[in-house]
Amino acid sequence: MDMRSFYASAVLASVLLAAGSAIGQEKLLIGTDATYPPFESLDASGNFEGFDIDIGKAICAEMKAECEFVNNEWDGMIPSLVSGKFDMVISSVSITPERLKLIDFSDRYYNTPPAVAVSKSSDIADIQALAGKTIGTQSATTHANYAEKHLGQSELRVYPTADEYKLDLANGRIDGAVDDVVVLTEWVKSEAGSCCKVLATLPIDPVINGEGVGVAVKKGSTLRDRLNAAIQAIRSNGTYKKINDKYFDFDAYGN
């Protein structure tokens, strides 16, 4: 081989290797609000944990991307995504018509209904008995919108985080709370939530609750198709079921 050809081949191989390495090292930032167990929270060491976190890691593995979770307050989540603070959001974000005006979503990766929790000592026996009572929920969520529309005879009190409404319900400062049925069910099983019980699961409102929870991305993001392929892959290869069964005794994907 001519030495010039040899060196040219070596240079080309180096360039291709570097390009391949760069692709393999793609880094994506994922926004999440780690105050929403069992979907996303921080453990005692400050590490992210939860169903959404594990799903996010599995999706990134399928996409062969290095991903880093970024903790962000819920109220500023969508504006932060739009401004480019991170590449996507995996934080139990429901796919709703209103949000689709601002951002895009992957296909859903779970779909669970809202519910109402009350104190175990409460005389509230059904949803109708919430009329005139004070209900807490997290602000800027589908659950707040749901309560405003369907529980309008109650006084609605919104909180920046789920932890805050839980504390007020446990201490008797509000009469009930609306959130995802899984979040409330897991909370009432815990020591902190032993004060309370899930009163009822609420019917999904397609306009408010949307078609389930998806990965949120900026409008027009090329990540959307890759995310959909990754979600389909983990559903097909059993990874999704392993994660699901780690947290739940039912299929969170829904119908």
Side-chain angles (χ1 to χ4, degrees):
M1 175 186 287
D2 183 281
M3 289 303 294
R4 288 171 298 177
S5 299
F6 173 80
Y7 286 124
S9 298
V11 169
L12 177 60
S14 297
V15 170
L16 292 174
L17 181 63
S21 176
I23 292 172
Q25 293 178 355
E26 176 190 22
K27 186 169 184 178
L28 300 172
L29 298 181
I30 304 174
T32 195
D33 175 15
T35 62
Y36 202 58
F39 294 105
E40 46 266 344
S41 58
L42 298 175
D43 65 16
S45 300
N47 299 311
F48 291 97
E49 63 178 1
F51 176 78
D52 278 353
I53 305 303
D54 288 357
I55 289 292
K57 290 177 179 178
I59 287 172
C60 288
E62 283 293 332
M63 290 170 38
K64 295 180 171 53
E66 177 189 351
C67 292
E68 178 183 341
F69 286 91
V70 179
N71 208 359
N72 198 87
E73 291 185 358
W74 175 257
D75 284 355
M77 192 69 74
I78 291 177
S80 294
L81 173 64
V82 171
S83 69
K85 182 177 179 180
F86 23 74
D87 301 291
M88 52 182 158
V89 173
I90 300 181
S91 193
S92 294
V93 188
S94 297
I95 306 165
T96 67
E98 193 65 26
R99 288 173 179 159
L100 283 167
K101 296 175 183 177
L102 302 173
I103 56 177
D104 285 341
F105 283 91
S106 71
D107 296 337
R108 85 168 193 265
Y109 63 90
Y110 86 81
N111 190 20
T112 50
V116 175
V118 297
S119 170
K120 287 180 179 176
S121 61
S122 173
D123 59 359
I124 298 173
D126 52 37
I127 300 300
Q128 289 69 35
L130 289 168
K133 305 293 186 180
T134 302
I135 299 174
T137 192
Q138 188 174 1
S139 62
T141 63
T142 56
H143 305 299
N145 295 339
Y146 190 102
E148 185 175 359
K149 178 179 176 180
H150 294 286
L151 303 172
Q153 292 181 319
S154 304
E155 178 186 343
L156 182 62
R157 190 175 298 175
V158 295
Y159 297 81
T161 69
D163 287 342
E164 291 170 273
Y165 81 64
K166 291 174 183 176
L167 185 62
D168 271 8
L169 181 56
N171 290 312
R173 289 190 282 266
I174 57 177
D175 302 298
V178 177
D179 209 325
D180 185 277
V181 66
V182 175
V183 171
L184 293 177
T185 298
E186 292 302 307
W187 177 60
V188 300
K189 290 179 183 176
S190 70
E191 183 178 352
S194 61
C195 57
C196 301
K197 63 182 180 181
V198 174
L199 177 66
T201 300
L202 301 169
I204 288 177
D205 181 329
V207 175
I208 293 177
N209 301 115
E211 55 194 78
V213 167
V215 181
V217 294
K218 292 177 69 172
K219 274 289 185 187
S221 173
T222 57
L223 283 174
R224 186 174 181 275
D225 289 342
R226 294 172 62 196
L227 289 165
N228 287 342
I231 291 170
Q232 182 177 1
I234 65 171
R235 289 279 297 162
S236 299
N237 65 22
T239 301
Y240 183 95
K241 187 177 188 308
K242 288 180 182 178
I243 296 171
N244 183 96
D245 294 351
K246 175 181 174 181
Y247 293 95
F248 314 125
D249 58 4
F250 61 93
D251 184 2
Y253 188 76
N255 298 319

